[in-house]
Amino acid sequence: DGITFIGGEPFQSAIHLLKIAKRIKENYPNKTIWSYTGYLIEILLMLDQDDPRRQLLNYIDVLIDGQYIDEERNEADLKIYRGSSNQRLIDVNKTIKQGKTIEYIRSE
């Protein structure tokens, strides 16, 4: 249904991923873009609008934020799309519009 930016730290490659994200949204407006990041969304939202990391966030639909922490991994209670319990699944569009962090709720 879409694309996911993962591996290393996607927001450290924001200047390059921004070009890809723009092209995806222009050519495939119904595709979603997800991204994993060690950054917290609150930090990304505080960045200047000219910062490529902040610009990239505008193209992300769902953000899984927070660093993966091995000690926070609970196999018995593993949440979908998350490797450790400190990571959050965030609806970026709603978060930006409402000015507060909104959890992503998966619809079937």
Side-chain angles (χ1 to χ4, degrees):
D1 291 334
I3 187 167
T4 304
F5 297 144
I6 62 170
E9 172 51 65
F11 282 81
Q12 291 297 324
S13 299
I15 198 158
H16 305 292
L17 291 176
L18 185 56
K19 295 174 188 174
I20 295 169
K22 285 180 182 179
R23 181 169 255 163
I24 290 167
K25 291 296 186 178
E26 288 169 0
N27 294 316
Y28 307 98
N30 294 325
K31 297 279 184 197
T32 59
I33 300 177
W34 289 41
S35 184
Y36 284 81
T37 183
Y39 289 100
L40 297 178
I41 193 167
E42 293 84 2
I43 300 300
L44 293 170
L45 287 170
M46 290 187 334
L47 296 171
D48 187 80
Q49 288 289 340
D50 293 332
D51 189 304
R53 295 169 295 176
R54 179 61 178 87
Q55 291 176 10
L56 177 61
L57 187 63
N58 291 328
Y59 290 92
I60 305 296
D61 297 292
V62 178
L63 187 74
I64 300 89
D65 80 341
Q67 291 184 355
Y68 170 79
I69 300 172
D70 197 44
E71 294 79 20
E72 297 274 338
R73 185 174 180 87
N74 180 354
E75 292 290 336
D77 189 31
L78 200 57
K79 305 289 186 226
I80 192 162
Y81 304 119
R82 288 161 275 193
S84 56
S85 62
N86 64 299
Q87 293 177 309
R88 302 178 297 176
L89 205 59
I90 298 168
D91 185 317
V92 177
N93 297 320
K94 287 182 182 177
T95 294
I96 291 171
K97 286 179 187 169
Q98 295 184 27
K100 63 180 181 177
T101 303
I102 305 294
E103 182 180 350
Y104 172 75
I105 307 294
R106 203 173 82 168
S107 59
E108 300 297 323

